[in-house]
Amino acid sequence: MKGGFYGLRGRELSLITIVLMCTAFLFWAWEKTPPLTNLTPPETRLRLSPDDLVSKPVASLLSPKSKGVSSFAEKVIEQVAAPLISSQKSTERSVIKSNPVNTTDRNVEILASLSEEEAKGKQIQEPQTYVGAQGPTIRTEVEGNHNKMIEQVSEQLEVDMVAQVTIENRDCNYAKGKWVPDDNRPLYSGFGCKQWLSGMWACRLMQRTDFAYEKLRWQPKNCQMEEFEGSKFLRKMQGKTLAFVGDSLGRQQFQSLMCMITGGEERHDVIDAGKEYGLVQARGDTRPSGWVYRFLSTNTTILYYWSASLCDVEPIDKSNPNTDYAMHLDRPPAFLRQYLHKFDVLVLNTGHHWNRGKLKANKWVMHVGGVQNTDRKLAMIWVAKNLTIHSVVNWVNSQLPKHPGLKAFYRTISPRHFVGGDWNTGGSCDNTIPMSVGKEVLQDESSDESAASAVKGTGIKLLDITALSHLRDEGHISRFSRTANPGVQDCLHWCLPGVPDTWNEILFAQI
Ligand SMILES: *[C@@H]1O[C@H](CO)[C@@H](O)[C@H](O)[C@H]1NC(C)=O
Ligand SMILES: *[C@@H]1O[C@H](CO)[C@@H](O)[C@H](O)[C@H]1NC(C)=O
Ligand SMILES: *[C@@H]1O[C@H](CO)[C@@H](O)[C@H](O)[C@H]1NC(C)=O
């Protein structure tokens, strides 16, 4: 998110200072000893491998795709760091004399990601640095200092680059990692978060007596996950709006996030902004179709809209109270079409309403292209669901150019853990011991193929929580459900605090 990397400011400043000092020094050094600058004895060889530092991070940091880097940092790197690194690189090139790599090629690689004008500027700016490296190996005091300084700067740069990349976690797959016990969990109290957390999901308010499931933290394998803090989240989301649109599992994630931001404490500076989104409880409704809360301190809005199928549903005969509903598989929910422009972060999900029973109970009739579906293949639930996921993802993707600031996520399916039956046929999930089924996710691919294939090649990110949640069979509401009929277990929804908190930690890390 632009302007969101507040933590970088100090580092950026020190980077600029060092880089400016060094650039000045380099020019001075070239003036003084023009033929020596390209000669670096092997013993003072830079620790930077061109592949590690020059090609990858710089090229990727400079690439127009790297939206995550603050524009400020981009400028610094473009204007100051890149030429410096280029000169370091050519210095190194001269060290490894037998290295067959074509410097010009590498340079082209780096410049390829710059605009034409910028690239021209670069070439004019530093012509000597690419001149040949041949010449007698003479070592002078000046050169030694020069090299030492380059070494220091390169180290600093390396640190900065690594920090940048770590914070950005560009290549990080948060879905891969392991669960670890952590006494600093949970992030809020299931007793305390009454303002936002429904009693039906607060297992602390039920008969349940084991709470080991609250004390786990997800540790991604190859990346640092910034510790979630409510104040940090609000600062990051200053003046912004985050929307969850999906089924009840999306609502769980929404309530979890509200509890996480507030630490489960009561807040009086949060207003209900439902009216702005037409979300008011109509007379006779058991509940509104969504909730909108705004933190006045930072003008941050968090909302949830209930769209179980994630497609447009409208009554076929508005005047008939017993009407069926057209479920337009290839049309995004009206709410999304109407309000997308107001969102800065969007988290979509669907999944558990895609079965014959739910369709029938909701009186949903599949429609495609505006007319009732007659394609028998498409009528298969999983095919219809796949079509809807692809449609909604494609539609949001098509809107991204109009809303360049929007970060859109599709959250993969939340796994169920019914054993010995389904939700309505005596299925249960009685395990209370965390990580009994394992604690690690090693696979690279998402377990939710439909979601993964839908986002592929789009600007929508996957919030991939399926496999990691699959390891948490002990975290469901289980037999303690207050709303289920006697004997019926809830092995679908999660106790809160609990697993959906982790989804939000990963979301926070990806924003
Ligand atoms: C280096 O690459 C450039 C551009 O691709 C090419 O024009 C030049 O001939 C190459 N030089 C060598 C020594 O391969
Ligand atoms: C709050 O943020 C919204 C965008 O989410 C913006 O339209 C509005 O002007 C802001 N209000 C204030 C008082 O800053
Ligand atoms: C899901 O739908 C997309 C788009 O309609 C299609 O390309 C893909 O093959 C489908 N996936 C499966 C598993 O049917």
Side-chain angles (χ1 to χ4, degrees):
M1 187 147 298
K2 283 223 156 134
F5 293 92
Y6 295 97
L8 281 180
R9 286 286 141 130
R11 215 179 265 129
E12 283 165 2
L13 285 177
S14 67
L15 175 62
I16 303 168
T17 314
I18 290 167
V19 154
L20 282 174
M21 273 172 55
C22 201
T23 314
F25 185 87
L26 283 178
F27 280 120
W28 175 78
W30 284 325
E31 291 272 301
K32 281 264 181 200
T33 55
L36 301 178
T37 47
N38 284 327
L39 305 170
T40 311
E43 64 269 25
T44 58
R45 183 177 297 174
L46 299 175
R47 293 208 299 116
L48 300 171
S49 120
D51 284 321
D52 284 345
L53 191 63
V54 179
S55 309
K56 262 193 267 153
V58 173
S60 60
L61 285 169
L62 292 180
S63 109
K65 273 180 255 156
S66 61
K67 288 191 195 109
V69 188
S70 73
S71 55
F72 182 59
E74 268 170 20
K75 275 218 169 68
V76 169
I77 292 162
E78 278 172 23
Q79 294 177 358
V80 187
L84 176 65
I85 293 164
S86 298
S87 66
Q88 285 173 356
K89 177 202 66 200
S90 60
T91 308
E92 165 157 314
R93 186 77 51 242
S94 65
V95 173
I96 312 161
K97 285 197 177 115
S98 57
N99 190 329
V101 179
N102 187 329
T103 310
T104 315
D105 280 341
R106 290 199 160 271
N107 194 30
V108 166
E109 202 179 313
I110 293 165
L111 296 181
S113 49
L114 298 170
S115 73
E116 221 172 280
E117 287 85 352
E118 281 169 321
K120 271 186 209 141
K122 289 262 138 42
Q123 277 157 352
I124 294 161
Q125 212 174 317
E126 28 158 18
Q128 312 99 309
T129 50
Y130 301 106
V131 188
Q134 286 72 32
T137 305
I138 306 160
R139 193 142 189 236
T140 67
E141 200 57 38
V142 172
E143 191 199 350
N145 288 341
H146 171 196
N147 287 332
K148 212 164 163 190
M149 187 133 180
I150 287 184
E151 204 160 44
Q152 280 168 1
V153 169
S154 69
E155 262 172 37
Q156 180 60 38
L157 269 171
E158 193 168 38
V159 167
D160 285 324
M161 290 297 178
V162 167
Q164 285 259 8
V165 170
T166 308
I167 286 170
E168 245 189 296
N169 275 324
R170 177 183 308 282
D171 300 321
C172 174
N173 179 359
Y174 292 92
K176 223 168 133 176
K178 63 180 176 191
W179 288 103
V180 291
D182 188 339
D183 271 340
N184 292 322
R185 294 295 186 276
L187 297 167
Y188 56 92
S189 153
F191 291 117
C193 194
K194 292 205 170 68
Q195 201 175 356
W196 319 111
L197 182 53
S198 298
M200 62 180 170
W201 294 331
C203 292
R204 285 276 177 180
L205 305 179
M206 301 172 189
Q207 305 293 314
R208 190 163 180 161
T209 51
D210 65 289
F211 297 103
Y213 70 87
E214 285 187 349
K215 297 221 156 280
L216 295 182
R217 174 172 56 84
W218 179 248
Q219 191 174 293
K221 190 163 166 55
N222 292 319
C223 39
Q224 291 287 312
M225 193 155 74
E226 213 180 332
E227 184 74 8
F228 186 96
E229 273 174 43
S231 56
K232 227 161 40 181
F233 179 89
L234 289 177
R235 246 181 292 135
K236 215 175 199 178
M237 290 294 293
Q238 176 119 27
K240 296 196 155 78
T241 299
L242 186 157
F244 293 100
V245 178
D247 61 22
S248 55
L249 275 304
R251 188 174 165 210
Q252 285 214 294
Q253 194 180 353
F254 162 70
Q255 293 194 0
S256 155
L257 183 60
M258 289 302 294
C259 291
M260 287 167 73
I261 295 172
T262 57
E265 306 286 328
E266 204 162 319
R267 288 277 288 247
H268 299 287
D269 63 337
V270 181
I271 60 162
D272 182 340
K275 262 191 198 159
E276 291 172 26
Y277 291 85
L279 296 178
V280 284
Q281 191 162 346
R283 205 183 288 264
D285 285 358
T286 48
R287 56 170 196 225
S289 354
W291 292 265
V292 185
Y293 298 123
R294 179 165 302 139
F295 290 83
L296 293 176
S297 58
T298 53
N299 187 25
T300 300
T301 308
I302 313 286
L303 72 90
Y304 162 74
Y305 180 76
W306 190 77
S307 172
S309 63
L310 213 51
C311 65
D312 202 19
V313 176
E314 54 173 20
I316 291 173
D317 178 0
K318 282 199 177 83
S319 61
N320 176 3
N322 294 317
T323 181
D324 285 345
Y325 292 83
M327 175 194 205
H328 297 281
L329 303 181
D330 52 355
R331 195 190 288 171
F335 180 85
L336 212 51
R337 298 199 306 266
Q338 191 173 353
Y339 295 111
L340 188 76
H341 66 281
K342 297 178 81 160
F343 305 154
D344 299 283
V345 179
L346 172 65
V347 183
L348 300 169
N349 91 283
T350 186
H352 295 290
H353 287 251
W354 291 90
N355 59 66
R356 292 276 162 223
K358 291 270 186 194
L359 257 66
K360 205 168 164 204
N362 290 321
K363 296 200 272 187
W364 287 344
V365 180
M366 289 185 195
H367 280 57
V368 176
V371 297
Q372 190 168 339
N373 175 49
T374 50
D375 183 340
R376 296 184 120 235
K377 189 162 172 265
L378 199 55
M380 289 193 290
I381 293 283
W382 68 272
V383 179
K385 178 180 133 199
N386 178 57
L387 173 64
T388 292
I389 295 174
H390 278 75
S391 299
V392 72
V393 164
N394 282 338
W395 180 78
V396 173
N397 189 50
S398 74
Q399 302 299 302
L400 288 180
K402 265 192 267 175
H403 313 292
L406 174 65
K407 292 234 170 191
F409 296 85
Y410 185 87
R411 204 210 71 216
T412 63
I413 194 149
S414 169
R416 306 139 48 98
H417 288 96
F418 293 99
V419 175
D422 207 349
W423 67 275
N424 53 357
T425 55
S428 63
C429 43
D430 288 321
N431 178 37
T432 56
I433 302 163
M435 303 182 280
S436 304
V437 288
K439 61 176 183 181
E440 234 176 326
V441 174
L442 296 169
Q443 71 204 43
D444 290 310
E445 302 292 316
S446 173
S447 298
D448 186 340
E449 284 172 37
S450 204
S453 85
V455 303
K456 203 168 184 183
T458 72
I460 317 299
K461 291 187 183 183
L462 205 60
L463 181 53
D464 186 7
I465 54 85
T466 305
L468 64 92
S469 305
H470 186 69
L471 298 172
R472 298 297 310 279
D473 64 328
E474 90 295 3
H476 289 290
I477 292 170
S478 177
R479 65 177 181 280
F480 305 103
S481 173
R482 289 171 152 194
T483 47
N485 294 327
V488 172
Q489 291 206 8
D490 186 349
C491 305
L492 170 61
H493 296 101
W494 305 92
C495 287
L496 290 177
V499 172
D501 303 344
T502 296
W503 307 349
N504 282 323
E505 289 184 73
I506 297 175
L507 174 65
F508 175 63
Q510 287 191 261
I511 292 177

